Amino acid sequence: MHLTLKLKIQPDAEAQSKLWEVSHRCTELWNACVEQRKDSRSWGKVNVFSQKKELPALKKECPEFKVPSSQVLQNVVFDLDSAYKMFFTKRRQGDQNVGQPRFKSRKYFYTQEYSQPKTSFVLDDGTLRLAYGKGPKDWISVTLPDYSWSLLGTPKTMKIGIDELSKDWFVCLSHEIREERPRESGHVVLFDPGCKTALTGIKTDGTFWEYDLSPLKKFNMSTYKLIDEMRSRLDLLKSRTSNAARRLRKLIKKMFRKIGTRTKTYLHALANQILLDHRDTKEFKVGDWDKRETLADTGCSFANRRINRAVQNNNPLQKLIDILKYKAQRLGQKLQKVDERGTTRTCSNCDHKLKNGLKPEIRAFSCPKCGFQFPRDHQSCLNLLKRYESAVWHRLPGIYPGRSRRVSLAPFSCKLQESWKILPGLSAS
């Protein structure tokens, strides 16, 4: 497994000058490749491999391109190819508003990737040296902040760039970490993801667990409202290039940054809490939830934006699942996505399916055939258990405790907030 360590750095004037020179070469190469791809005469003839093969000829024709590392220039070509792949993927998925990769300006620093240790970069006891010029004597030298480098392991790739908002330099070091051996014994937790409660799950010991993002959603929503106010003030300004407009745009960027930082902190803390609660678990099975299925289509763009913000942008459920997956993998626990289709509308007691499903605002399941009643999300968990852990399902009434633990965190302190919910009895047919 590979993780990335991000550090704030302060390169000296000489290092900054060299890094900016490499940035200009990368920007020029990007723009040249974009222009080549946009040329109608080269359609079907130009791809990532052909553009990569042209780099040696480019260096002979333009000696200034001999200054950056060859690996950095190759990664520019790979980045452009990834951008085009994303463009065509979104087009195929029906997004007609997505735009093609655009030209870049030299005034913005191009984030450079060095992906060959000991060839394009060297990390030696807190000093980072980057390939530049004709030989090692010309290489860029950057002093990194204090860190336990012995715990880092061997870096695999390195990226260096500038934060556009704070104007601080940063470096990202991708390194390999050791994983524990996969667990062969232990419980299994089956989670049903949802919009109201992020994860509602049942463990193979019969206990129910709920993990909630509501405190984070409420706090982020208040920031989103401030962003809407700032955008309204920006729309009322006569000139979009005035100092007032620039200040408002910078303030909006800072608010989005706060939302992102707050969300990451909360999700990491909640994922750690999930692993702490289930130290005896060998596997997590999570319903394969696709947020694109929750896209609003009311016919009103303003209403769609408000609904999608509440349901999608302010419900970072997929990020939580991704964070939980890699953290569990480090501990030898497995996270697997499973098919959850039909779990909400199907009665776990008699397998009767509701013809029209269950509307999101209805939070309790009631079967018209057998009369079985149970909370909506917990009912989905029962169907997941019945589908993927049938042996546990048949002995569930004997181990069922009749209550559910609800867990959430305070947005700032990330202190644990929990409560217990009493659930009705179970009688598996």
Side-chain angles (χ1 to χ4, degrees), residues 51-72:
Q51 290 184 329
K52 179 183 174 182
K53 288 181 180 179
E54 293 178 3
L55 290 178
L58 175 65
K59 289 185 177 182
K60 289 182 179 180
E61 184 178 350
C62 304
E64 62 269 19
F65 282 94
K66 295 181 180 180
V67 173
S69 168
S70 297
Q71 191 63 48
V72 173

mmCIF file of all heavy atoms in Angstrom, residues 51-72:
data_model
loop_
_atom_site.group_PDB
_atom_site.id
_atom_site.type_symbol
_atom_site.label_atom_id
_atom_site.label_comp_id
_atom_site.label_asym_id
_atom_site.label_seq_id
_atom_site.Cartn_x
_atom_site.Cartn_y
_atom_site.Cartn_z
ATOM 1 N N GLN A 51 3.119 11.271 -28.602
ATOM 2 C CA GLN A 51 3.635 12.522 -28.039
ATOM 3 C C GLN A 51 4.847 12.262 -27.141
ATOM 4 O O GLN A 51 5.765 13.080 -27.078
ATOM 5 C CB GLN A 51 2.528 13.221 -27.258
ATOM 6 C CG GLN A 51 1.432 13.786 -28.151
ATOM 7 C CD GLN A 51 0.392 14.552 -27.386
ATOM 8 O OE1 GLN A 51 0.086 14.265 -26.230
ATOM 9 N NE2 GLN A 51 -0.186 15.562 -28.029
ATOM 10 N N LYS A 52 4.844 11.125 -26.467
ATOM 11 C CA LYS A 52 6.008 10.786 -25.636
ATOM 12 C C LYS A 52 7.233 10.532 -26.507
ATOM 13 O O LYS A 52 8.356 10.919 -26.156
ATOM 14 C CB LYS A 52 5.684 9.553 -24.798
ATOM 15 C CG LYS A 52 6.825 9.092 -23.908
ATOM 16 C CD LYS A 52 6.459 7.820 -23.159
ATOM 17 C CE LYS A 52 7.663 7.284 -22.389
ATOM 18 N NZ LYS A 52 7.355 6.016 -21.694
ATOM 19 N N LYS A 53 7.050 9.893 -27.661
ATOM 20 C CA LYS A 53 8.170 9.599 -28.551
ATOM 21 C C LYS A 53 8.773 10.865 -29.157
ATOM 22 O O LYS A 53 9.935 10.865 -29.583
ATOM 23 C CB LYS A 53 7.708 8.667 -29.673
ATOM 24 C CG LYS A 53 7.445 7.243 -29.217
ATOM 25 C CD LYS A 53 7.007 6.368 -30.388
ATOM 26 C CE LYS A 53 6.745 4.938 -29.934
ATOM 27 N NZ LYS A 53 6.288 4.081 -31.071
ATOM 28 N N GLU A 54 8.005 11.948 -29.215
ATOM 29 C CA GLU A 54 8.482 13.194 -29.810
ATOM 30 C C GLU A 54 9.344 14.021 -28.856
ATOM 31 O O GLU A 54 9.936 15.028 -29.270
ATOM 32 C CB GLU A 54 7.298 14.042 -30.280
ATOM 33 C CG GLU A 54 6.536 13.435 -31.451
ATOM 34 C CD GLU A 54 5.339 14.269 -31.860
ATOM 35 O OE1 GLU A 54 5.157 15.341 -31.252
ATOM 36 O OE2 GLU A 54 4.605 13.863 -32.765
ATOM 37 N N LEU A 55 9.423 13.643 -27.585
ATOM 38 C CA LEU A 55 10.176 14.434 -26.606
ATOM 39 C C LEU A 55 11.664 14.522 -26.932
ATOM 40 O O LEU A 55 12.257 15.607 -26.822
ATOM 41 C CB LEU A 55 9.963 13.857 -25.198
ATOM 42 C CG LEU A 55 8.560 14.052 -24.601
ATOM 43 C CD1 LEU A 55 8.470 13.405 -23.234
ATOM 44 C CD2 LEU A 55 8.229 15.532 -24.499
ATOM 45 N N PRO A 56 12.345 13.417 -27.324
ATOM 46 C CA PRO A 56 13.772 13.566 -27.671
ATOM 47 C C PRO A 56 14.009 14.550 -28.812
ATOM 48 O O PRO A 56 14.971 15.342 -28.771
ATOM 49 C CB PRO A 56 14.177 12.136 -28.074
ATOM 50 C CG PRO A 56 13.227 11.243 -27.338
ATOM 51 C CD PRO A 56 11.937 11.998 -27.329
ATOM 52 N N ALA A 57 13.151 14.530 -29.851
ATOM 53 C CA ALA A 57 13.294 15.478 -30.958
ATOM 54 C C ALA A 57 13.042 16.908 -30.492
ATOM 55 O O ALA A 57 13.705 17.849 -30.960
ATOM 56 C CB ALA A 57 12.326 15.106 -32.079
ATOM 57 N N LEU A 58 12.108 17.068 -29.545
ATOM 58 C CA LEU A 58 11.823 18.395 -29.007
ATOM 59 C C LEU A 58 13.041 18.947 -28.271
ATOM 60 O O LEU A 58 13.362 20.143 -28.391
ATOM 61 C CB LEU A 58 10.618 18.324 -28.063
ATOM 62 C CG LEU A 58 10.248 19.612 -27.326
ATOM 63 C CD1 LEU A 58 9.780 20.680 -28.315
ATOM 64 C CD2 LEU A 58 9.152 19.350 -26.287
ATOM 65 N N LYS A 59 13.754 18.106 -27.542
ATOM 66 C CA LYS A 59 14.939 18.556 -26.813
ATOM 67 C C LYS A 59 16.060 18.981 -27.758
ATOM 68 O O LYS A 59 16.810 19.917 -27.471
ATOM 69 C CB LYS A 59 15.428 17.436 -25.887
ATOM 70 C CG LYS A 59 14.512 17.173 -24.698
ATOM 71 C CD LYS A 59 15.121 16.135 -23.774
ATOM 72 C CE LYS A 59 14.256 15.925 -22.557
ATOM 73 N NZ LYS A 59 14.841 14.941 -21.614
ATOM 74 N N LYS A 60 16.190 18.276 -28.886
ATOM 75 C CA LYS A 60 17.217 18.660 -29.854
ATOM 76 C C LYS A 60 16.873 19.985 -30.517
ATOM 77 O O LYS A 60 17.752 20.822 -30.757
ATOM 78 C CB LYS A 60 17.352 17.562 -30.907
ATOM 79 C CG LYS A 60 17.992 16.291 -30.394
ATOM 80 C CD LYS A 60 18.145 15.266 -31.514
ATOM 81 C CE LYS A 60 18.810 13.986 -31.003
ATOM 82 N NZ LYS A 60 18.969 12.984 -32.086
ATOM 83 N N GLU A 61 15.584 20.182 -30.805
ATOM 84 C CA GLU A 61 15.166 21.409 -31.481
ATOM 85 C C GLU A 61 15.143 22.595 -30.537
ATOM 86 O O GLU A 61 15.479 23.723 -30.942
ATOM 87 C CB GLU A 61 13.783 21.187 -32.098
ATOM 88 C CG GLU A 61 13.284 22.362 -32.917
ATOM 89 C CD GLU A 61 11.936 22.089 -33.552
ATOM 90 O OE1 GLU A 61 11.495 20.916 -33.509
ATOM 91 O OE2 GLU A 61 11.317 23.031 -34.086
ATOM 92 N N CYS A 62 14.745 22.366 -29.281
ATOM 93 C CA CYS A 62 14.653 23.447 -28.283
ATOM 94 C C CYS A 62 15.520 23.060 -27.080
ATOM 95 O O CYS A 62 15.069 22.284 -26.210
ATOM 96 C CB CYS A 62 13.200 23.665 -27.851
ATOM 97 S SG CYS A 62 12.060 24.021 -29.199
ATOM 98 N N PRO A 63 16.764 23.531 -26.995
ATOM 99 C CA PRO A 63 17.686 23.125 -25.920
ATOM 100 C C PRO A 63 17.172 23.450 -24.521
ATOM 101 O O PRO A 63 17.601 22.800 -23.547
ATOM 102 C CB PRO A 63 18.956 23.926 -26.237
ATOM 103 C CG PRO A 63 18.860 24.243 -27.690
ATOM 104 C CD PRO A 63 17.413 24.427 -27.974
ATOM 105 N N GLU A 64 16.263 24.435 -24.385
ATOM 106 C CA GLU A 64 15.788 24.774 -23.043
ATOM 107 C C GLU A 64 15.006 23.636 -22.395
ATOM 108 O O GLU A 64 14.865 23.579 -21.164
ATOM 109 C CB GLU A 64 14.915 26.037 -23.089
ATOM 110 C CG GLU A 64 13.644 25.919 -23.916
ATOM 111 C CD GLU A 64 13.842 26.326 -25.359
ATOM 112 O OE1 GLU A 64 15.011 26.343 -25.808
ATOM 113 O OE2 GLU A 64 12.846 26.635 -26.024
ATOM 114 N N PHE A 65 14.503 22.691 -23.202
ATOM 115 C CA PHE A 65 13.774 21.554 -22.647
ATOM 116 C C PHE A 65 14.704 20.464 -22.122
ATOM 117 O O PHE A 65 14.228 19.449 -21.608
ATOM 118 C CB PHE A 65 12.831 20.969 -23.704
ATOM 119 C CG PHE A 65 11.573 21.757 -23.891
ATOM 120 C CD1 PHE A 65 11.487 22.730 -24.867
ATOM 121 C CD2 PHE A 65 10.475 21.547 -23.070
ATOM 122 C CE1 PHE A 65 10.329 23.470 -25.048
ATOM 123 C CE2 PHE A 65 9.315 22.289 -23.228
ATOM 124 C CZ PHE A 65 9.236 23.253 -24.216
ATOM 125 N N LYS A 66 16.027 20.671 -22.249
ATOM 126 C CA LYS A 66 16.975 19.736 -21.651
ATOM 127 C C LYS A 66 17.167 20.006 -20.162
ATOM 128 O O LYS A 66 17.724 19.172 -19.449
ATOM 129 C CB LYS A 66 18.331 19.843 -22.357
ATOM 130 C CG LYS A 66 18.310 19.410 -23.816
ATOM 131 C CD LYS A 66 19.691 19.524 -24.423
ATOM 132 C CE LYS A 66 19.688 19.099 -25.895
ATOM 133 N NZ LYS A 66 21.042 19.217 -26.503
ATOM 134 N N VAL A 67 16.706 21.163 -19.701
ATOM 135 C CA VAL A 67 16.899 21.534 -18.297
ATOM 136 C C VAL A 67 16.051 20.671 -17.353
ATOM 137 O O VAL A 67 16.560 20.122 -16.381
ATOM 138 C CB VAL A 67 16.589 23.034 -18.094
ATOM 139 C CG1 VAL A 67 16.625 23.384 -16.616
ATOM 140 C CG2 VAL A 67 17.603 23.869 -18.872
ATOM 141 N N PRO A 68 14.736 20.502 -17.569
ATOM 142 C CA PRO A 68 13.949 19.678 -16.647
ATOM 143 C C PRO A 68 14.301 18.202 -16.778
ATOM 144 O O PRO A 68 14.860 17.750 -17.788
ATOM 145 C CB PRO A 68 12.497 19.935 -17.090
ATOM 146 C CG PRO A 68 12.545 21.106 -18.001
ATOM 147 C CD PRO A 68 13.904 21.104 -18.615
ATOM 148 N N SER A 69 13.943 17.442 -15.767
ATOM 149 C CA SER A 69 14.107 15.996 -15.819
ATOM 150 C C SER A 69 13.206 15.415 -16.904
ATOM 151 O O SER A 69 12.069 15.849 -17.099
ATOM 152 C CB SER A 69 13.754 15.379 -14.460
ATOM 153 O OG SER A 69 13.625 13.981 -14.543
ATOM 154 N N SER A 70 13.701 14.412 -17.614
ATOM 155 C CA SER A 70 12.905 13.775 -18.673
ATOM 156 C C SER A 70 11.634 13.160 -18.098
ATOM 157 O O SER A 70 10.577 13.160 -18.744
ATOM 158 C CB SER A 70 13.733 12.691 -19.364
ATOM 159 O OG SER A 70 14.859 13.249 -19.996
ATOM 160 N N GLN A 71 11.717 12.660 -16.868
ATOM 161 C CA GLN A 71 10.548 12.051 -16.249
ATOM 162 C C GLN A 71 9.461 13.084 -15.981
ATOM 163 O O GLN A 71 8.266 12.798 -16.105
ATOM 164 C CB GLN A 71 10.949 11.365 -14.936
ATOM 165 C CG GLN A 71 9.872 10.480 -14.340
ATOM 166 C CD GLN A 71 9.532 9.320 -15.242
ATOM 167 O OE1 GLN A 71 10.421 8.636 -15.737
ATOM 168 N NE2 GLN A 71 8.250 9.099 -15.484
ATOM 169 N N VAL A 72 9.845 14.294 -15.621
ATOM 170 C CA VAL A 72 8.863 15.353 -15.380
ATOM 171 C C VAL A 72 8.120 15.684 -16.668
ATOM 172 O O VAL A 72 6.888 15.833 -16.677
ATOM 173 C CB VAL A 72 9.560 16.611 -14.814
ATOM 174 C CG1 VAL A 72 8.579 17.770 -14.724
ATOM 175 C CG2 VAL A 72 10.136 16.316 -13.440
#
